Amino acid sequence: MATPSRVYSGIQPTAVMTIGNYFGAVKNWVRLQDERECIYCVVDLHALTAPYEAGDLRNSAREMFVSLLAAGIDPDRTTVYIQSTVPEQSELCWLFATITSLGDLSRMTQFKEKSALLKDGSVDDEGSFISAGLLFYPVLQAADILAYRAGCVPVGQDQSQHLELSRGIARRFNSRFGFLFPEPETLLTHVPKVMSTADPTRKMSKSLGPKHYIGLFEEEASVRKKIRSAVTDSGATPSGEVSPGIENLLTLLTACGHPDDADQMRADYFAGTLRYVDLKGQTADALVALTGEMRERRADVLRRETDLDARIMEMAERARGMAGETLARAREKMGLFPPGAPRAVAT
Ligand code: AMP
Ligand code: TRP
């Protein structure tokens, strides 16, 4: 029997993990630990492509590391690490840049959207500065995944196009230099896209501002407020479709473990008997239960992990071992010299 392939995924180190991240990706990360070898990364190098404060970045990465442990990632079974602690991936990114077409990169939807926002100056004062890093973002993502020769990548729907590019890079490398990389498959959850409750036509995202997302560790009062003011509609239309706002609340209720209630409410919606206060009340209760439990687990992690930075370095060692082996093989296949050993130089 073939060995089950490794699982790999990453998340950006914004200090908040949203319920979109959780239902769309991280819930799968937790589950997969029971089935396969898993490697998860807090991608601080990717975060350098958006406006950020250097003085805050380490702390945001630590916060996300803790959030992952609280969500159920078990560092005794799983390698969970911070991207900048493994420089091998950045080198692999350069090697991959040479087999990636500029045309493919400039066609990436995320690049087009993010560069359009920067161009109109709505993100920060620097206005139209669009870094090459933003263009290279998916090449680094391919290097992340392929450095571990992972075959399965659990993500939300917004990452599908990037993963298609990763497969293309693996294919091109293998056909030019000989087989090294399995082509990574995308794994979606049942909820591949959670929408903003304030604007259910847009993806729930931290970058839209606080009223557009609910944090996995958010306090009860603010969760209730956001659900109370969630955008709905003025009743079912004859088209037979559920409006985006109602659909999103039903999805959240289902994702919190109440699919039967959600099905009943969907039927009531079409019968014209659904009271939106009831749907909002139940969804809020379910989310409050989830976020309350998550806050407790977060506090437990902080009590347990007394030396977080030591834990982070221990994980880095594990990850570097794996990535270093792949990088050495890729360098050799591409015809490069092995790296020279560093020698201390008096300054
Ligand atoms: P990010 O915070 O952008 O690094 O995303 C981390 C993971 O969460 C990725 O796999 C995303 O696809 C997923 N994700 C982020 N926002 C959502 C959302 N609103 N719905 C579903 N998945 C999401
Ligand atoms: N680009 C992903 C996001 O924005 C994060 C990411 C970086 C990632 N490297 C990865 C996801 C490797 C999966 C695999 O959400």
Side-chain angles (χ1 to χ4, degrees), residues 67-259:
S67 298
L68 287 173
L69 301 194
I73 304 300
D74 174 2
D76 292 328
R77 291 191 283 166
T78 291
T79 304
V80 45
Y81 72 101
I82 294 179
Q83 193 181 29
S84 59
T85 62
V86 184
E88 286 77 5
Q89 284 166 219
S90 304
E91 186 177 339
L92 194 59
C93 175
W94 169 251
L95 302 184
F96 285 167
T98 65
I99 54 167
T100 305
S101 99
L102 182 57
D104 284 349
L105 288 183
S106 50
R107 274 191 290 276
M108 290 287 121
T109 311
Q110 190 175 300
F111 171 70
K112 287 198 281 193
E113 283 174 4
K114 286 191 178 170
S115 52
L117 280 177
L118 289 167
K119 214 174 265 164
D120 74 15
S122 55
V123 176
D124 74 355
D125 310 330
E126 278 193 70
S128 60
F129 181 78
I130 295 165
S131 76
L134 198 59
L135 184 71
F136 265 49
Y137 183 109
V139 186
L140 181 59
Q141 183 162 350
D144 294 343
I145 300 165
L146 299 178
Y148 301 87
R149 306 178 73 235
C152 171
V153 187
V155 283
Q157 201 168 44
D158 59 344
Q159 295 303 311
S160 297
Q161 196 188 31
H162 285 166
L163 290 182
E164 187 59 49
L165 187 91
S166 295
R167 285 192 283 279
I169 291 175
R171 250 192 319 272
R172 193 162 303 123
F173 184 99
N174 292 340
S175 72
R176 264 196 78 182
F177 305 111
F179 180 80
L180 182 55
F181 300 111
E183 287 182 33
E185 284 170 24
T186 309
L187 183 75
L188 300 179
T189 64
H190 297 298
V191 195
K193 196 169 183 186
V194 176
M195 310 308 282
S196 154
T197 50
D199 178 356
T201 62
R202 301 167 86 178
K203 190 189 77 164
M204 177 176 285
S205 159
K206 289 159 276 197
S207 54
L208 293 176
K211 77 176 175 141
H212 288 280
Y213 68 81
I214 295 174
L216 187 61
F217 306 95
E218 198 157 315
E219 294 294 336
E220 170 164 358
S222 106
V223 173
R224 289 199 184 279
K225 186 163 170 234
K226 286 178 185 173
I227 296 296
R228 208 179 314 119
S229 53
V231 169
T232 53
D233 60 27
S234 47
T237 59
S239 71
E241 277 183 22
V242 182
S243 66
I246 299 293
E247 189 64 66
N248 197 36
L249 292 174
L250 290 171
T251 300
L252 290 175
L253 188 58
T254 304
C256 288
H258 303 280

Side-chain angles (χ1 to χ4, degrees), residues 26 60 76 103 170 202 266 277 298 328:
V26 176
S60 307
D76 292 328
R202 301 167 86 178
R266 187 184 295 275
V277 279
R298 194 165 217 287

